[in-house]
Amino acid sequence: ISVVSKEMRKEVGDNSKLTKDIDLLISQTKRCSEILKKISQKKIIGDEFLSEMSFEDLLEEIIKSFKESTEKEIILNTDKDINKILIKKNPEMVYGLRNFIGNAIKFSYRRILVSIVSDNINLKVIIDDDGPGFPEDIILALGEPYIRSKSKISKKNAGLGLGTFLGKTLLERKSAVISFYNDGSLKGAQVIIKWRINDLSISI
């Protein structure tokens, strides 16, 4: 994809209406490449990705890293985390969750709410933001690569959906089911990431 898009860029030059789209394609492909390289380099080195931890601790770790670079309010709610399970920390889980929390921060106005809801059967991570929500013209296609909304509201920060595609793919490799909604608890976008308890490598 990178090679073909760069060749297309040479062909169209700087005067084509396609120039901005091709530049966006190149930058988004580079972003995916960098994420994949980071994941491939995390092969069982030390115990960073072998440690047992709760979902609460994992999310607190991710949220803390974002708080260092944003002034927006990020809240972690664990009131409904009844089944305090432990999981094996792994790169797919970390990068997948980081992607969706990062997107919520990017598109929110001021607030992001990350909630853990669990019982004896399922565990859900619910990510809400107070932003404009998902564009209606692409919400059913979210998770597919190379999608772009015609909405002017989200166009400023939007890419081609590659980050969402990659984050969704990584989490699905760990048995997650991802759903996208609007009008969540903060009236903006809502992402629900759900696992069956038995599908998680956990110890109580």
Side-chain angles (χ1 to χ4, degrees), residues 14-36:
D14 294 323
N15 299 320
S16 172
K17 294 180 180 179
L18 299 175
T19 300
K20 288 185 178 179
D21 288 337
I22 296 174
D23 287 343
L24 180 60
L25 177 62
I26 293 171
S27 66
Q28 292 289 291
T29 304
K30 183 180 178 181
R31 179 188 173 200
C32 280
S33 176
E34 289 170 351
I35 293 172
L36 290 171

Side-chain angles (χ1 to χ4, degrees), residues 113-177:
L113 174 64
V114 182
S115 306
I116 307 173
V117 179
S118 69
D119 53 28
N120 291 328
I121 300 174
N122 298 309
L123 182 145
K124 292 187 286 187
V125 174
I126 304 171
I127 304 169
D128 289 286
D129 68 64
D130 65 350
F134 296 116
E136 293 295 337
D137 60 339
I138 64 167
I139 191 168
L140 295 179
L142 286 171
E144 298 177 11
Y146 303 111
I147 57 172
R148 194 172 187 185
S149 172
K150 296 179 180 178
S151 169
K152 294 181 180 178
I153 297 176
S154 62
K155 201 168 185 180
K156 182 179 179 181
N157 291 327
L160 296 175
L162 291 176
T164 299
F165 165 71
L166 188 54
K168 182 172 181 285
T169 301
L170 290 171
L171 290 173
E172 286 177 341
R173 285 178 59 183
K174 293 301 176 180
S175 303
V177 176

Side-chain angles (χ1 to χ4, degrees), residues 52-59 81 84-87 116:
E52 281 190 347
M53 64 194 316
S54 66
F55 255 92
E56 181 176 352
D57 288 341
L58 176 59
L59 289 171
D81 183 17
K84 302 286 186 177
I85 64 174
L86 297 177
I87 64 165
I116 307 173

Side-chain angles (χ1 to χ4, degrees), residues 15-115:
N15 299 320
S16 172
K17 294 180 180 179
L18 299 175
T19 300
K20 288 185 178 179
D21 288 337
I22 296 174
D23 287 343
L24 180 60
L25 177 62
I26 293 171
S27 66
Q28 292 289 291
T29 304
K30 183 180 178 181
R31 179 188 173 200
C32 280
S33 176
E34 289 170 351
I35 293 172
L36 290 171
K37 283 178 182 177
K38 287 180 182 178
I39 293 173
S40 66
Q41 289 167 0
K42 294 295 183 182
K43 299 175 183 175
I44 315 180
I45 300 174
D47 60 358
E48 181 184 359
F49 284 104
L50 292 177
S51 58
E52 281 190 347
M53 64 194 316
S54 66
F55 255 92
E56 181 176 352
D57 288 341
L58 176 59
L59 289 171
E60 281 185 346
E61 184 179 285
I62 293 172
I63 289 170
K64 182 180 178 181
S65 70
F66 280 117
K67 283 183 175 179
E68 296 173 356
S69 59
T70 183
E71 295 182 355
K72 295 179 181 179
E73 183 182 15
I74 311 172
I75 303 166
L76 177 60
N77 182 357
T78 61
D79 292 346
K80 295 183 180 180
D81 183 17
I82 298 171
N83 192 354
K84 302 286 186 177
I85 64 174
L86 297 177
I87 64 165
K88 292 285 188 180
K89 184 181 178 185
N90 59 75
E92 291 90 346
M93 197 84 76
V94 171
Y95 284 104
L97 290 169
R98 276 189 62 84
N99 174 81
F100 288 113
I101 294 174
N103 278 348
I105 294 169
K106 181 179 179 181
F107 288 98
S108 65
Y109 296 129
R110 293 181 302 276
R111 298 181 68 207
I112 301 92
L113 174 64
V114 182
S115 306

